Amino acid sequence: MDFTKYQALGNDYLLLDPGPPLTPAAVRLLCDRRLGVGADGVLLLDGPVDVDRPVAVRTVNADGSPCARSANGVRMVGLHLAGLHPGTARFTVATPAGESAVEVTDAAAGLVSVGLGPAAVSPPRPLAVAGAGFDMSFVDNGNPHAVLFLPEVGAGVAHEHGEAVAASFPGRANVQFVHVLGPDRLRVEVYERGAGYTPASGASACAAASAAHARGLTGGRVAVLMPGGSVAVEVGGDGVRMAGEVRKVFEGRISAALRRALEEVR
């Protein structure tokens, strides 16, 4: 079982092409940073791949739960496909959340953009969780997001309140703690419902930009700064588009011992 590991600003995934059937327990073992390979999730390509058609990908969070679409994961798939098909820069990636147009603008530099389509943004409302109060907008861009606006943010607030906020929604939600730095800049801390605290998340960056734009706090183009780095997000009438760096970390092969362990939990 071969795999390729990619990361985007510290948000890392294991890509398996083709993607074998994996139980939630097997995914948890693969993503365990001590007992397995270690990652925020797994990307499973449903082959054989034909770049002239939408390429189907299944995404599973580190806790074994399904993810309808990872924006960073889709960009990783795009870079992976560009490596397999030199000279081709545009791909369509099909996920349970819909099809996404991916463009590899510079394969050597790992610059990849993805379109997520329109996001559904709820009106602002207060949210009270575990004795703490927040100003929230709920965003659905293929995944559920609770976007919380604060006068300042840091890793501490995400660690302290992320799990309680995520668990307060049916099926859990991804959580973004947002500080508006200006009309074209946001600072965001992320707590993902299936991976916990992460240094970056593409879908979360898009959700934060969508919520801020809907409130009139930012323009159509913003830089979203996260602990792992920044991405550029555009919010327009045809939907949301994000661009940033993706890196291939390494290629590897699952050992015989780990394969046996995966079979046992399967």
Side-chain angles (χ1 to χ4, degrees), residues 80-181:
H80 181 76
L81 295 174
L84 297 177
H85 303 275
T88 304
R90 297 186 178 185
F91 308 93
T92 300
V93 177
T95 71
E99 295 183 355
S100 297
V102 184
E103 182 177 2
V104 181
T105 55
D106 188 333
L111 298 178
V112 186
S113 66
V114 59
L116 300 186
V121 183
S122 72
R125 67 178 178 87
L127 174 70
V129 176
F134 299 99
D135 177 18
M136 183 194 77
S137 289
F138 194 83
V139 178
D140 186 342
N141 60 11
N143 291 307
H145 299 272
V147 183
L148 312 177
F149 288 85
L150 289 82
E152 60 179 84
V153 297
V157 69
H159 284 292
E160 182 178 359
H161 299 291
E163 176 58 27
V165 175
S168 68
F169 295 90
R172 299 172 60 82
N174 298 312
V175 187
Q176 297 79 43
F177 299 89
V178 181
H179 176 206
V180 179
L181 298 172

Side-chain angles (χ1 to χ4, degrees), residues 146-262:
V147 183
L148 312 177
F149 288 85
L150 289 82
E152 60 179 84
V153 297
V157 69
H159 284 292
E160 182 178 359
H161 299 291
E163 176 58 27
V165 175
S168 68
F169 295 90
R172 299 172 60 82
N174 298 312
V175 187
Q176 297 79 43
F177 299 89
V178 181
H179 176 206
V180 179
L181 298 172
D184 60 352
R185 290 164 63 86
L186 300 174
R187 184 182 177 195
V188 178
E189 293 280 352
V190 178
Y191 189 94
E192 291 195 333
R193 60 177 177 167
Y197 179 81
T198 58
S201 165
S204 291
C206 292
S210 298
H213 184 263
R215 289 173 176 237
L217 300 174
T218 55
R221 296 184 179 183
V222 295
V224 179
L225 284 63
M226 298 169 285
S230 66
V231 295
V233 181
E234 294 187 22
V235 182
D238 58 347
V240 182
R241 189 160 194 89
M242 177 191 68
E245 292 185 1
V246 174
R247 299 291 185 191
K248 179 192 287 189
V249 181
F250 58 80
E251 297 172 329
R253 175 166 293 179
I254 304 298
S255 71
L258 183 54
R259 285 202 305 272
R260 287 194 297 271
L262 292 172

